[in-house]
Amino acid sequence: MTEKIALTPATHTTPPAKFSHGVKKGNILQVAGQVGFLPAIEGQAPTPAGPTLREQTLQTFANVKAILQEGGASWDDVMMMRVYLTDVDHFAEMNEIYNAYFEAEGLKEAASARTTVYVGLPKGLLIEIDALAVLS
Amino acid sequence: MTEKIALTPATHTTPPAKFSHGVKKGNILQVAGQVGFLPAIEGQAPTPAGPTLREQTLQTFANVKAILQEGGASWDDVMMMRVYLTDVDHFAEMNEIYNAYFEAEGLKEAASARTTVYVGLPKGLLIEIDALAVLS
Amino acid sequence: MTEKIALTPATHTTPPAKFSHGVKKGNILQVAGQVGFLPAIEGQAPTPAGPTLREQTLQTFANVKAILQEGGASWDDVMMMRVYLTDVDHFAEMNEIYNAYFEAEGLKEAASARTTVYVGLPKGLLIEIDALAVLS
């Protein structure tokens, strides 16, 4: 029997419903949809890192990474990232930020697969990302 | 060689195309996108449980659960649920229904991860959910 | 330690960002979101197979299949396909193309699970598909 454990970084706001920010079971780790909320401050509502795509994307990456690390994983273990944008015109800018970020992170293994689609998100949010990782 | 098997609960309508409502291979179980259709009645077109988000969400949960059970799994095995809504204004109500449902189900393990995004769905449908499970 | 390897068919255009068209780690293979781009020609921008849903869907299938094959997998290993369309009115036609395609492919195992939702895609693209496979 392999246990499923919740991954809840100290920096994260409480999920708005009965779900986990991340779960790990055996060698599979799933990160829930993350957005650009700043580290949680008790008694305050979740606050985006800023109004721009750049601010929110970088904060979203930080939030995904915190959950990976909580589960003993890293970007190198990520198989798939799903990127949800609200505007097709943000694609080129997101890719620039994406490339620079992962260049700086210094991936040692193949880059993750990715799907990007354009959806609706709650007001003020420009990007959401979730990730599936397989640990070694 | 591990076989991939289709999971087809007796309650389910025939899929509208050559796909399975669920599949299981080894310890991985994938539930296809479920909507709020009532149990199938032969010779009748699929019918939503009702026009409201509540009716459709509860029926969708029942449809996902039937597939999990067909594969010998339960909500406790679910790693990720993807919730597709059509309207950002439905988020709070969906979360209330979601929380009450999983409270009543009495999860023994960590709650699943989740991503919620807002997309288009066929006319009359307000919610669609799919799920990835890892069995113990 | 299981290595994660990138799957890059010779027919594919370079991804527009630092992600892989597919990755494989152990028995898990993830195909990134594929669209109906024709096989890459050096020095030319990616070009859709045509303006119609049929042309783009068939090319998208070919692109997903090339990545599966690059990883030693086939359609029979696919657990989940996510189909992103831009227009609810395309559902029936996509299903016809889908059914005929998989009829011709001669699946030996259960058909994959599937979720279809309606999102925005870059101008001119009518369909995007990604896939999760579990190898035997």
Side-chain angles (χ1 to χ4, degrees):
Chain A
M1 171 95 188
T2 313
E3 205 190 353
K4 179 175 65 169
I5 57 167
L7 306 173
T8 314
T11 47
H12 274 53
T13 55
T14 304
K18 201 175 167 43
F19 66 85
S20 301
H21 282 302
V23 287
K24 185 182 171 185
K25 187 173 182 177
N27 68 331
I28 307 282
L29 189 162
Q30 176 72 53
V31 176
Q34 300 296 304
V35 296
F37 287 148
L38 289 167
I41 298 176
E42 220 185 300
Q44 287 191 16
T47 308
T52 67
L53 183 65
R54 171 170 299 274
E55 291 163 304
Q56 292 193 15
T57 302
L58 293 174
Q59 186 63 48
T60 301
F61 284 146
N63 291 342
V64 172
K65 186 179 177 180
I67 295 165
L68 292 170
Q69 290 182 324
E70 189 77 16
S74 74
W75 287 118
D76 275 318
D77 299 304
V78 175
M79 298 289 285
M80 181 63 163
M81 260 186 278
R82 295 183 181 281
V83 178
Y84 299 98
L85 295 176
T86 59
D87 188 337
V88 172
D89 288 342
H90 288 168
F91 186 59
E93 185 186 353
M94 186 274 290
N95 278 334
E96 272 178 48
I97 301 166
Y98 193 96
N99 290 349
Y101 178 82
F102 286 108
E103 199 69 48
E105 285 289 306
L107 298 181
K108 286 175 207 79
E109 297 208 50
S112 162
R114 196 184 81 181
T115 289
T116 306
V117 290
Y118 304 87
V119 302
L121 292 178
K123 196 169 158 28
L125 298 178
L126 302 177
I127 187 166
E128 178 163 351
I129 298 178
D130 60 47
L132 173 68
V134 174
L135 282 80
S136 295
Chain B
M1 171 93 188
T2 313
E3 206 190 354
K4 178 174 66 170
I5 57 169
L7 306 172
T8 314
T11 47
H12 273 53
T13 54
T14 305
K18 200 173 168 46
F19 66 85
S20 300
H21 281 303
V23 287
K24 186 183 171 184
K25 188 172 181 176
N27 69 331
I28 306 283
L29 189 163
Q30 176 72 53
V31 177
Q34 300 296 303
V35 296
F37 288 147
L38 289 167
I41 297 177
E42 218 186 300
Q44 286 190 16
T47 308
T52 67
L53 183 66
R54 171 170 298 275
E55 290 163 305
Q56 292 193 13
T57 302
L58 292 174
Q59 186 63 49
T60 301
F61 284 147
N63 292 343
V64 172
K65 186 180 178 179
I67 295 166
L68 292 171
Q69 290 182 324
E70 189 77 16
S74 75
W75 287 118
D76 275 318
D77 299 304
V78 175
M79 299 288 285
M80 181 63 165
M81 262 187 278
R82 294 184 182 281
V83 178
Y84 300 98
L85 296 175
T86 60
D87 188 338
V88 172
D89 288 343
H90 288 168
F91 187 59
E93 185 186 353
M94 185 275 290
N95 277 334
E96 272 179 47
I97 301 166
Y98 193 97
N99 290 348
Y101 177 84
F102 286 108
E103 199 68 49
E105 287 289 305
L107 297 181
K108 286 175 207 80
E109 298 207 50
S112 161
R114 196 184 81 180
T115 289
T116 305
V117 290
Y118 305 87
V119 302
L121 292 178
K123 196 168 158 27
L125 297 178
L126 302 177
I127 187 166
E128 178 163 352
I129 298 179
D130 59 48
L132 174 69
V134 174
L135 283 80
S136 296
Chain C
M1 171 96 187
T2 312
E3 204 190 355
K4 179 174 67 169
I5 57 168
L7 306 172
T8 313
T11 48
H12 273 52
T13 53
T14 305
K18 201 173 167 44
F19 66 84
S20 300
H21 282 302
V23 288
K24 186 182 172 186
K25 189 173 182 178
N27 68 331
I28 307 283
L29 189 162
Q30 176 72 53
V31 176
Q34 299 295 304
V35 295
F37 287 148
L38 289 167
I41 297 176
E42 220 186 300
Q44 288 190 16
T47 309
T52 69
L53 183 65
R54 171 170 298 276
E55 291 163 305
Q56 292 192 14
T57 302
L58 293 175
Q59 185 64 48
T60 301
F61 284 147
N63 291 342
V64 172
K65 186 179 177 179
I67 295 165
L68 292 170
Q69 290 183 322
E70 189 78 16
S74 75
W75 287 117
D76 275 319
D77 299 304
V78 174
M79 299 288 285
M80 181 62 163
M81 260 186 279
R82 297 186 179 279
V83 178
Y84 299 98
L85 296 175
T86 59
D87 187 337
V88 172
D89 288 342
H90 287 168
F91 186 58
E93 186 187 353
M94 186 275 290
N95 277 335
E96 272 180 47
I97 301 166
Y98 193 96
N99 290 348
Y101 177 83
F102 285 109
E103 199 67 50
E105 286 289 305
L107 297 182
K108 286 174 206 79
E109 298 207 49
S112 162
R114 196 184 79 180
T115 289
T116 306
V117 290
Y118 304 88
V119 301
L121 292 178
K123 195 168 158 31
L125 298 177
L126 302 177
I127 187 166
E128 178 163 351
I129 298 178
D130 59 48
L132 174 68
V134 174
L135 283 80
S136 295

